[in-house]
Amino acid sequence: MFDKILIANRGEIACRIISTARRLGIRTVAVYSVADTKSKHVAMADEAWCIGAAPASESYLLAEKIIEVALKSKAKAIHPGYGFLSENAKFAELCTKNNLVFIGPPVAAIEAMGSKSAAKEIMSEAGIPLVPGYHGDDQSTENLLKACLEIGFPVLLKATAGGGGKGMRIVESESEFTEALSSCKREAMASFCDDEILVEKYLTQPRHVEIQVFADNHGNTVHLFERDCSVQRRHQKVIEEAPAPNIKSAIRNAMAEVAIKAAQAIGYSGAGTVEFLYDEDGSFYFMEMNTRLQVEHPVTEMITGIDLVEWQLLVANNQTLPKKQSQIECNGHAFEVRIYAEDPDQDFLPATGKVVHLNIPEQSKNVRVDSGIRQDDEVSIYYDPMIAKLIVWERDRETALARLRGALADYQVVGITTNLKFLSALAANEAFNKLDIDTSLIEKQRQDLFPQKQSATDQSIALAALYIMKRRIKEAKNHAIHSHDPHSPWHQVSGWHNNESNKHQLEFIDNLDNVRVAEVHFQGNEFIIDVNKHSFHASATLDNKKLSAILSGQRLDVQVIEHEQKLHLLSHGNTAVLGLIDNEQQNHDDSAGGNLTAPMPGTVIAVNVEVGDTVCQNQPLIILEAMKMEHTISAPTKGVVVEILYQAGELVADGAELIILNSDED
Ligand code: ADP
């Protein structure tokens, strides 16, 4: 076996590959871009080499640079992961030329499957069923229209070089054809530098079912069952499961046989996936073959107990497949959901930002989380916005779905917009549970999956108020301990010294932009909190960010995160986000707010004060630019500027102290 491999990738898949390599005693070399200097895959690998700037075209796609690092670090083989160079025949060739093993199929197989139309040609010759369509050379508008008319509308136009759901247009009728063709060609040219188009019959309610195949260099080819990836948005997978539910075993077997035949037709070796469209009537059609490890490979690992990366390494090392077909078993049911930094309410627009709080469900043989993102990591504009894959396994589909709902409820991400709520809605969706699935599920279930925003409950407002009061009491106590007179009643927040009443009025903004008011009255160590017509009898303990409350007899445990003037109340699947209005509260933002240190690496763009200046609370002191955004560092209290450690134009490291302020509070 190789003693050292290089992983030409980043994020979760690089971490995933490193885990198996480590288990097998193989040393790992990571490559990374400047943007990934502090990323998890770099920290996990035995060695890491910077290969260039943040854009993938200046780092992760630099084939020659990666080869150079592999040679320098004396790695014997390169695992390309998925995406980037994984299906690049020239890169595979370059590896071979440099005596490095490309952990993937032979160059000829990558080339054969690289174009959707060339792949169809090969598969058609091998007698594999194809969706009716045209994938020939005559690209004239007249000829493509003629093909559409012969196939019958609706049709699907696809870029032959396409991938990632890009360069596809559904054409419902002849009148839409010309416009759809030119926009499809434009997108294909922009995305793949190739505007060749193929035409397919558009199946209105298909399922996406794919077979995992594996072949070695000694003539053995097996399948590892199928995955159903029908739940898609913009032709991109969101949830995958294995095995594919509700398909007769005769059909599943027939699909698997066809997939093996497809792999054999191109002299395949390594891990590959043959994708099919499965129609309601039980017919299925070859769509394309992906000549690499798929994002969704973990569901196959869960049902077979086979580590696919280990098998890839064995095959690349010229060993035979460890199991024969008859020894490969399918057990139970697995789901994978892709947790993305994106906004489902804005047509899944990718989001960026820093993960300021992260809680992942406890991992076990039933629950697995594959991720390249840790707390305080950044999801940048440069790469795919996937945060993690959550994979669950149980003995059957129903129990696995229940397991998925539970694990999703435990998943908490604050700081970036995610699709977590949407995924929970999907996992609970009745049609999905009852197997009414096809690729238009998300569209058809819009009402259920994108519910109207609800205003925060009175209970959430009461909890938020309770948290603020507990936090203020804690701070007052701390302040008292550090002051000249720890016992002074002026350090209490109970309001005893307030002549009028011991009433505190707190205001929050809910997700419908309504101002919500809570009135808090002290009663010894407890509180009465009035919200609307509700009056809550409340008590609580606050331990770090965990509020353990009793609200009118009900025990409630809530994780409270303050970020960018918002309170995030998180409790088993329920999230309430409330805006803070009060200035006093704004000072407690966990991020840049009241800190005098740099929240992330960046450049100082302005210093607003001079040494000796008296500043008031919240006065902006320094402005930083990081990740193309401006961050204001403000004074946490009134004070005098003692020292300014950085000037405009200077670069600062994450956590660097920027300014020293002599607080004159006491
Ligand atoms: P990409 O390589 O960009 O991912 P694919 O050819 O794999 O594109 O197709 C992506 C998805 O588009 C499929 O999973 C399926 O949901 C849908 N799709 C592709 N071809 C058809 C078709 N002929 N009819 C209906 N849906 C299709």
Side-chain angles (χ1 to χ4, degrees):
M1 183 47 82
F2 316 110
D3 58 351
K4 197 189 236 187
I5 62 168
L6 180 145
I7 295 126
N9 215 301
R10 63 180 297 284
E12 70 87 16
I13 194 61
C15 301
R16 158 74 194 88
I17 296 162
I18 293 170
S19 298
T20 292
R22 176 141 309 147
R23 183 171 63 74
L24 300 176
I26 301 169
R27 293 181 63 74
T28 51
V29 181
V31 290
Y32 65 96
S33 74
V34 171
D36 278 338
T37 308
K38 290 189 174 174
S39 71
K40 183 175 167 190
H41 84 280
V42 172
M44 272 179 81
D46 295 309
E47 267 175 61
W49 299 65
C50 184
I51 49 167
S57 58
E58 294 170 40
S59 49
Y60 296 105
L61 289 171
L62 293 177
E64 299 202 349
K65 180 88 195 171
I66 292 170
I67 299 277
E68 189 188 310
V69 172
L71 294 173
K72 260 198 241 166
S73 64
K74 301 200 166 51
K76 302 291 184 326
I78 299 186
H79 197 308
Y82 55 71
F84 295 133
L85 296 167
S86 62
E87 291 178 289
N88 184 317
K90 287 204 177 91
F91 178 64
E93 212 170 352
L94 205 58
C95 288
T96 317
K97 269 195 197 142
N98 285 280
N99 280 329
L100 293 160
V101 177
F102 176 75
I103 305 172
V107 174
I110 304 177
E111 273 170 349
M113 295 295 112
S115 148
K116 286 185 202 278
S117 46
K120 277 173 187 268
E121 197 57 48
I122 296 170
M123 293 305 154
S124 153
E125 272 168 29
I128 286 165
L130 302 180
V131 191
Y134 175 78
H135 49 263
D137 291 336
D138 186 347
Q139 290 283 310
S140 68
T141 307
E142 305 75 56
N143 185 56
L144 293 176
L145 176 60
K146 190 168 136 254
C148 293
L149 291 167
E150 274 167 20
I151 298 160
F153 290 97
V155 297
L156 185 64
L157 306 179
K158 269 189 197 176
T160 60
K166 286 204 193 104
M168 276 199 225
R169 292 291 181 281
I170 301 164
V171 191
E172 300 283 354
S173 65
E174 188 178 345
S175 62
E176 294 173 11
F177 173 78
T178 319
E179 176 53 35
L181 179 67
S182 43
S183 92
C184 188
K185 275 179 177 271
R186 267 197 311 272
E187 190 171 296
M189 192 44 119
S191 304
F192 315 110
C193 297
D194 180 347
D195 66 357
E196 194 179 305
I197 299 297
L198 65 85
V199 185
E200 272 177 12
K201 174 83 194 154
Y202 181 66
L203 306 182
T204 47
Q205 297 198 321
R207 280 166 63 180
H208 173 122
V209 181
E210 56 184 37
I211 308 281
Q212 176 70 55
V213 293
F214 240 105
D216 63 21
N217 303 328
H218 307 280
N220 305 303
T221 309
V222 296
H223 71 85
L224 276 66
F225 308 100
E226 73 286 335
R227 297 183 282 257
D228 188 312
C229 316
S230 302
V231 183
Q232 301 183 347
R233 47 127 181 79
R234 288 198 255 108
H235 304 300
Q236 290 266 70
K237 300 159 189 167
V238 179
I239 297 192
E240 301 96 349
E241 61 183 299
N246 227 6
I247 300 183
K248 290 198 180 82
S249 56
I251 297 177
R252 292 172 59 206
N253 293 341
M255 266 185 179
E257 260 173 48
V258 166
I260 288 183
K261 205 161 130 190
Q264 286 168 337
I266 54 165
Y268 204 74
S269 106
T273 296
V274 184
E275 296 189 331
F276 294 101
L277 283 174
Y278 172 82
D279 212 354
E280 288 175 291
D281 63 4
S283 42
F284 58 88
Y285 309 98
F286 170 84
M287 209 168 14
E288 64 171 347
M289 180 168 184
N290 290 327
T291 54
R292 54 169 162 83
L293 194 66
Q294 299 270 94
V295 175
E296 59 272 21
H297 76 274
V299 287
T300 301
E301 299 189 316
M302 294 297 242
I303 59 156
T304 58
I306 293 170
D307 180 332
L308 266 62
V309 174
E310 179 177 0
W311 276 32
Q312 285 190 295
L313 290 163
L314 294 173
V315 170
N317 194 39
N318 241 340
Q319 290 172 239
T320 50
L321 292 176
K323 288 189 178 187
K324 292 192 176 57
Q325 189 67 63
S326 58
Q327 297 171 310
I328 302 170
E329 283 178 20
C330 171
N331 287 312
H333 204 96
F335 283 95
E336 173 184 281
V337 292
R338 302 188 187 190
I339 300 170
Y340 275 106
E342 65 181 18
D343 188 354
D345 292 329
Q346 285 193 59
D347 198 19
F348 301 96
L349 187 74
T352 54
K354 181 173 172 175
V355 176
V356 297
H357 166 79
L358 177 69
N359 184 66
I360 60 172
E362 198 176 321
Q363 299 196 59
S364 63
K365 74 173 190 5
N366 296 80
V367 178
R368 164 174 165 184
V369 176
D370 282 16
S371 179
I373 301 272
R374 302 154 300 184
Q375 182 157 315
D376 298 327
D377 282 351
E378 196 84 35
V379 174
S380 74
I381 47 163
Y382 299 109
Y383 316 111
D384 184 81
M386 190 164 74
I387 297 174
K389 305 187 307 203
L390 168 64
I391 307 110
V392 298
W393 180 93
E394 271 291 355
R395 60 183 183 280
D396 56 35
R397 187 175 194 269
E398 199 183 329
T399 350
L401 263 175
R403 178 68 84 159
L404 178 63
R405 288 191 290 271
L408 276 168
D410 286 342
Y411 222 113
Q412 300 171 344
V413 180
V414 176
I416 310 183
T417 309
T418 71
N419 63 346
L420 271 169
K421 227 172 131 192
F422 172 74
L423 293 173
S424 291
L426 263 174
N429 177 262
E430 198 180 328
F432 184 57
N433 275 260
K434 289 195 168 153
L435 290 172
D436 183 9
I437 15 178
D438 62 63
T439 53
S440 60
L441 179 111
I442 292 179
E443 233 1 87
K444 285 198 287 202
Q445 296 295 317
R446 257 190 177 272
Q447 290 239 314
D448 183 56
L449 301 175
F450 302 87
Q452 287 233 315
K453 278 189 187 163
Q454 302 280 332
S455 115
T457 60
D458 290 350
Q459 191 184 63
S460 302
I461 303 295
L463 281 171
L466 187 58
Y467 165 77
I468 295 288
M469 292 318 298
K470 293 300 290 186
R471 202 244 288 128
R472 284 187 188 172
I473 291 168
K474 225 177 193 167
E475 283 163 359
K477 275 189 187 149
N478 279 343
H479 197 225
I481 291 166
H482 295 109
S483 74
H484 306 302
D485 179 9
H487 303 295
S488 164
W490 297 102
H491 294 311
Q492 293 181 20
V493 277
S494 65
W496 73 272
H497 53 77
N498 187 327
N499 289 334
E500 287 156 31
S501 79
N502 71 351
K503 190 176 77 183
H504 291 248
Q505 182 159 312
L506 299 175
E507 292 184 340
F508 304 94
I509 303 177
D510 74 9
N511 52 342
L512 298 179
D513 285 339
N514 297 320
V515 175
R516 305 286 299 273
V517 182
E519 268 188 18
V520 185
H521 309 261
F522 282 81
Q523 277 206 338
N525 284 332
E526 303 191 341
F527 308 86
I528 301 291
I529 305 176
D530 294 330
V531 184
N532 279 328
K533 290 182 187 119
H534 276 118
S535 193
F536 298 91
H537 191 138
S539 62
T541 56
L542 178 64
D543 181 11
N544 198 6
K545 287 164 187 163
K546 274 209 173 92
L547 184 76
S548 300
I550 298 184
L551 271 195
S552 297
Q554 188 182 359
R555 166 86 198 238
L556 296 161
D557 287 319
V558 194
Q559 182 93 20
V560 188
I561 310 296
E562 289 185 58
H563 176 61
E564 289 179 346
Q565 278 102 61
K566 284 196 172 102
L567 272 191
H568 296 249
L569 306 177
L570 312 161
S571 68
H572 201 69
N574 293 319
T575 305
V577 183
L578 298 168
L580 294 168
I581 298 179
D582 186 337
N583 276 340
E584 183 276 335
Q585 292 164 19
Q586 293 185 4
N587 294 330
H588 296 277
D589 184 345
D590 275 351
S591 63
N595 283 332
L596 294 176
T597 52
M600 58 184 83
T603 313
V604 174
I605 56 172
V607 178
N608 297 342
V609 288
E610 288 177 9
V611 170
D613 281 1
T614 301
V615 295
C616 53
Q617 189 183 43
N618 286 337
Q619 183 174 331
L621 306 176
I622 282 197
I623 303 181
L624 263 187
E625 190 196 71
M627 311 306 295
K628 300 198 169 170
M629 289 187 304
E630 286 190 9
H631 302 266
T632 304
I633 311 296
S634 307
T637 57
K638 190 174 169 221
V640 176
V641 178
V642 177
E643 197 176 346
I644 297 171
L645 299 155
Y646 290 91
Q647 298 302 331
E650 285 189 278
L651 289 174
V652 293
D654 188 8
E657 192 161 18
L658 302 171
I659 227 167
I660 297 174
L661 201 64
N662 188 358
S663 150
D664 62 359
E665 261 202 326
D666 287 331

PDB file of all heavy atoms in Angstrom, residues 486-501:
ATOM      1  N   PRO A 486     -17.879  45.882  46.864  1.00  0.00           N
ATOM      2  CA  PRO A 486     -18.606  44.745  46.313  1.00  0.00           C
ATOM      3  C   PRO A 486     -20.032  44.626  46.840  1.00  0.00           C
ATOM      4  O   PRO A 486     -20.867  44.033  46.199  1.00  0.00           O
ATOM      5  CB  PRO A 486     -17.778  43.531  46.738  1.00  0.00           C
ATOM      6  CG  PRO A 486     -16.517  44.041  47.288  1.00  0.00           C
ATOM      7  CD  PRO A 486     -16.695  45.485  47.619  1.00  0.00           C
ATOM      8  N   HIS A 487     -20.293  45.193  47.996  1.00  0.00           N
ATOM      9  CA  HIS A 487     -21.632  44.999  48.575  1.00  0.00           C
ATOM     10  C   HIS A 487     -22.587  46.140  48.269  1.00  0.00           C
ATOM     11  O   HIS A 487     -23.713  46.155  48.748  1.00  0.00           O
ATOM     12  CB  HIS A 487     -21.513  44.773  50.088  1.00  0.00           C
ATOM     13  CG  HIS A 487     -20.613  43.609  50.399  1.00  0.00           C
ATOM     14  ND1 HIS A 487     -20.952  42.322  50.029  1.00  0.00           N
ATOM     15  CD2 HIS A 487     -19.385  43.553  50.957  1.00  0.00           C
ATOM     16  CE1 HIS A 487     -19.959  41.513  50.381  1.00  0.00           C
ATOM     17  NE2 HIS A 487     -18.997  42.239  50.944  1.00  0.00           N
ATOM     18  N   SER A 488     -22.115  47.101  47.503  1.00  0.00           N
ATOM     19  CA  SER A 488     -22.974  48.240  47.219  1.00  0.00           C
ATOM     20  C   SER A 488     -24.269  47.809  46.542  1.00  0.00           C
ATOM     21  O   SER A 488     -24.261  47.067  45.575  1.00  0.00           O
ATOM     22  CB  SER A 488     -22.244  49.211  46.282  1.00  0.00           C
ATOM     23  OG  SER A 488     -23.185  50.095  45.715  1.00  0.00           O
ATOM     24  N   PRO A 489     -25.378  48.302  47.048  1.00  0.00           N
ATOM     25  CA  PRO A 489     -26.665  47.957  46.420  1.00  0.00           C
ATOM     26  C   PRO A 489     -26.773  48.493  44.999  1.00  0.00           C
ATOM     27  O   PRO A 489     -27.594  48.051  44.225  1.00  0.00           O
ATOM     28  CB  PRO A 489     -27.693  48.608  47.351  1.00  0.00           C
ATOM     29  CG  PRO A 489     -26.946  49.617  48.141  1.00  0.00           C
ATOM     30  CD  PRO A 489     -25.532  49.152  48.238  1.00  0.00           C
ATOM     31  N   TRP A 490     -25.911  49.454  44.667  1.00  0.00           N
ATOM     32  CA  TRP A 490     -25.970  50.022  43.308  1.00  0.00           C
ATOM     33  C   TRP A 490     -25.525  49.009  42.259  1.00  0.00           C
ATOM     34  O   TRP A 490     -25.733  49.209  41.075  1.00  0.00           O
ATOM     35  CB  TRP A 490     -25.113  51.277  43.233  1.00  0.00           C
ATOM     36  CG  TRP A 490     -25.639  52.332  44.151  1.00  0.00           C
ATOM     37  CD1 TRP A 490     -25.136  52.661  45.370  1.00  0.00           C
ATOM     38  CD2 TRP A 490     -26.816  53.120  43.961  1.00  0.00           C
ATOM     39  NE1 TRP A 490     -25.912  53.622  45.956  1.00  0.00           N
ATOM     40  CE2 TRP A 490     -26.960  53.940  45.105  1.00  0.00           C
ATOM     41  CE3 TRP A 490     -27.759  53.231  42.949  1.00  0.00           C
ATOM     42  CZ2 TRP A 490     -27.995  54.831  45.253  1.00  0.00           C
ATOM     43  CZ3 TRP A 490     -28.787  54.132  43.093  1.00  0.00           C
ATOM     44  CH2 TRP A 490     -28.906  54.916  44.236  1.00  0.00           C
ATOM     45  N   HIS A 491     -24.931  47.906  42.699  1.00  0.00           N
ATOM     46  CA  HIS A 491     -24.527  46.881  41.739  1.00  0.00           C
ATOM     47  C   HIS A 491     -25.600  45.833  41.533  1.00  0.00           C
ATOM     48  O   HIS A 491     -25.355  44.798  40.954  1.00  0.00           O
ATOM     49  CB  HIS A 491     -23.224  46.198  42.183  1.00  0.00           C
ATOM     50  CG  HIS A 491     -22.067  47.134  42.165  1.00  0.00           C
ATOM     51  ND1 HIS A 491     -21.778  47.933  41.090  1.00  0.00           N
ATOM     52  CD2 HIS A 491     -21.131  47.411  43.110  1.00  0.00           C
ATOM     53  CE1 HIS A 491     -20.708  48.652  41.358  1.00  0.00           C
ATOM     54  NE2 HIS A 491     -20.295  48.362  42.577  1.00  0.00           N
ATOM     55  N   GLN A 492     -26.772  46.070  42.036  1.00  0.00           N
ATOM     56  CA  GLN A 492     -27.845  45.102  41.821  1.00  0.00           C
ATOM     57  C   GLN A 492     -28.746  45.574  40.692  1.00  0.00           C
ATOM     58  O   GLN A 492     -28.875  46.765  40.446  1.00  0.00           O
ATOM     59  CB  GLN A 492     -28.671  44.944  43.095  1.00  0.00           C
ATOM     60  CG  GLN A 492     -27.861  44.296  44.198  1.00  0.00           C
ATOM     61  CD  GLN A 492     -28.693  44.115  45.446  1.00  0.00           C
ATOM     62  OE1 GLN A 492     -29.907  44.125  45.395  1.00  0.00           O
ATOM     63  NE2 GLN A 492     -28.028  43.959  46.555  1.00  0.00           N
ATOM     64  N   VAL A 493     -29.361  44.618  40.020  1.00  0.00           N
ATOM     65  CA  VAL A 493     -30.261  45.024  38.949  1.00  0.00           C
ATOM     66  C   VAL A 493     -31.723  44.820  39.325  1.00  0.00           C
ATOM     67  O   VAL A 493     -32.607  45.038  38.545  1.00  0.00           O
ATOM     68  CB  VAL A 493     -29.994  44.229  37.644  1.00  0.00           C
ATOM     69  CG1 VAL A 493     -28.876  44.813  36.871  1.00  0.00           C
ATOM     70  CG2 VAL A 493     -29.814  42.772  37.924  1.00  0.00           C
ATOM     71  N   SER A 494     -31.947  44.369  40.554  1.00  0.00           N
ATOM     72  CA  SER A 494     -33.315  44.026  40.923  1.00  0.00           C
ATOM     73  C   SER A 494     -34.247  45.216  40.950  1.00  0.00           C
ATOM     74  O   SER A 494     -35.455  45.079  40.930  1.00  0.00           O
ATOM     75  CB  SER A 494     -33.325  43.354  42.290  1.00  0.00           C
ATOM     76  OG  SER A 494     -32.893  44.285  43.249  1.00  0.00           O
ATOM     77  N   GLY A 495     -33.665  46.396  40.957  1.00  0.00           N
ATOM     78  CA  GLY A 495     -34.516  47.568  40.890  1.00  0.00           C
ATOM     79  C   GLY A 495     -34.973  48.067  42.245  1.00  0.00           C
ATOM     80  O   GLY A 495     -35.836  48.917  42.336  1.00  0.00           O
ATOM     81  N   TRP A 496     -34.388  47.560  43.346  1.00  0.00           N
ATOM     82  CA  TRP A 496     -34.843  47.975  44.673  1.00  0.00           C
ATOM     83  C   TRP A 496     -34.688  49.474  44.894  1.00  0.00           C
ATOM     84  O   TRP A 496     -35.469  50.098  45.576  1.00  0.00           O
ATOM     85  CB  TRP A 496     -34.081  47.202  45.764  1.00  0.00           C
ATOM     86  CG  TRP A 496     -32.660  47.692  45.880  1.00  0.00           C
ATOM     87  CD1 TRP A 496     -31.608  47.244  45.187  1.00  0.00           C
ATOM     88  CD2 TRP A 496     -32.197  48.784  46.671  1.00  0.00           C
ATOM     89  NE1 TRP A 496     -30.484  47.971  45.477  1.00  0.00           N
ATOM     90  CE2 TRP A 496     -30.824  48.927  46.402  1.00  0.00           C
ATOM     91  CE3 TRP A 496     -32.801  49.671  47.582  1.00  0.00           C
ATOM     92  CZ2 TRP A 496     -30.047  49.907  46.992  1.00  0.00           C
ATOM     93  CZ3 TRP A 496     -32.008  50.649  48.179  1.00  0.00           C
ATOM     94  CH2 TRP A 496     -30.638  50.755  47.880  1.00  0.00           C
ATOM     95  N   HIS A 497     -33.594  50.031  44.264  1.00  0.00           N
ATOM     96  CA  HIS A 497     -33.317  51.440  44.519  1.00  0.00           C
ATOM     97  C   HIS A 497     -34.119  52.351  43.585  1.00  0.00           C
ATOM     98  O   HIS A 497     -34.000  53.551  43.628  1.00  0.00           O
ATOM     99  CB  HIS A 497     -31.824  51.737  44.382  1.00  0.00           C
ATOM    100  CG  HIS A 497     -31.248  51.279  43.091  1.00  0.00           C
ATOM    101  ND1 HIS A 497     -31.434  51.951  41.932  1.00  0.00           N
ATOM    102  CD2 HIS A 497     -30.506  50.184  42.805  1.00  0.00           C
ATOM    103  CE1 HIS A 497     -30.795  51.305  40.956  1.00  0.00           C
ATOM    104  NE2 HIS A 497     -30.250  50.235  41.462  1.00  0.00           N
ATOM    105  N   ASN A 498     -34.887  51.742  42.726  1.00  0.00           N
ATOM    106  CA  ASN A 498     -35.688  52.528  41.823  1.00  0.00           C
ATOM    107  C   ASN A 498     -36.989  52.881  42.553  1.00  0.00           C
ATOM    108  O   ASN A 498     -37.741  52.011  42.946  1.00  0.00           O
ATOM    109  CB  ASN A 498     -35.964  51.669  40.579  1.00  0.00           C
ATOM    110  CG  ASN A 498     -36.662  52.477  39.515  1.00  0.00           C
ATOM    111  OD1 ASN A 498     -37.441  53.372  39.847  1.00  0.00           O
ATOM    112  ND2 ASN A 498     -36.390  52.154  38.278  1.00  0.00           N
ATOM    113  N   ASN A 499     -37.205  54.164  42.728  1.00  0.00           N
ATOM    114  CA  ASN A 499     -38.340  54.568  43.555  1.00  0.00           C
ATOM    115  C   ASN A 499     -39.693  54.163  42.984  1.00  0.00           C
ATOM    116  O   ASN A 499     -40.640  53.924  43.701  1.00  0.00           O
ATOM    117  CB  ASN A 499     -38.332  56.084  43.767  1.00  0.00           C
ATOM    118  CG  ASN A 499     -37.191  56.449  44.684  1.00  0.00           C
ATOM    119  OD1 ASN A 499     -36.765  55.611  45.482  1.00  0.00           O
ATOM    120  ND2 ASN A 499     -36.701  57.663  44.566  1.00  0.00           N
ATOM    121  N   GLU A 500     -39.762  54.108  41.664  1.00  0.00           N
ATOM    122  CA  GLU A 500     -41.086  53.894  41.085  1.00  0.00           C
ATOM    123  C   GLU A 500     -41.561  52.455  41.242  1.00  0.00           C
ATOM    124  O   GLU A 500     -42.559  52.171  41.870  1.00  0.00           O
ATOM    125  CB  GLU A 500     -41.085  54.290  39.612  1.00  0.00           C
ATOM    126  CG  GLU A 500     -41.041  55.806  39.468  1.00  0.00           C
ATOM    127  CD  GLU A 500     -40.476  56.214  38.133  1.00  0.00           C
ATOM    128  OE1 GLU A 500     -40.668  55.459  37.158  1.00  0.00           O
ATOM    129  OE2 GLU A 500     -39.836  57.265  38.073  1.00  0.00           O
ATOM    130  N   SER A 501     -40.832  51.519  40.670  1.00  0.00           N
ATOM    131  CA  SER A 501     -41.246  50.118  40.791  1.00  0.00           C
ATOM    132  C   SER A 501     -40.045  49.261  40.448  1.00  0.00           C
ATOM    133  O   SER A 501     -39.019  49.756  40.023  1.00  0.00           O
ATOM    134  CB  SER A 501     -42.388  49.803  39.838  1.00  0.00           C
ATOM    135  OG  SER A 501     -41.863  49.624  38.546  1.00  0.00           O
TER     136      SER A 501
END
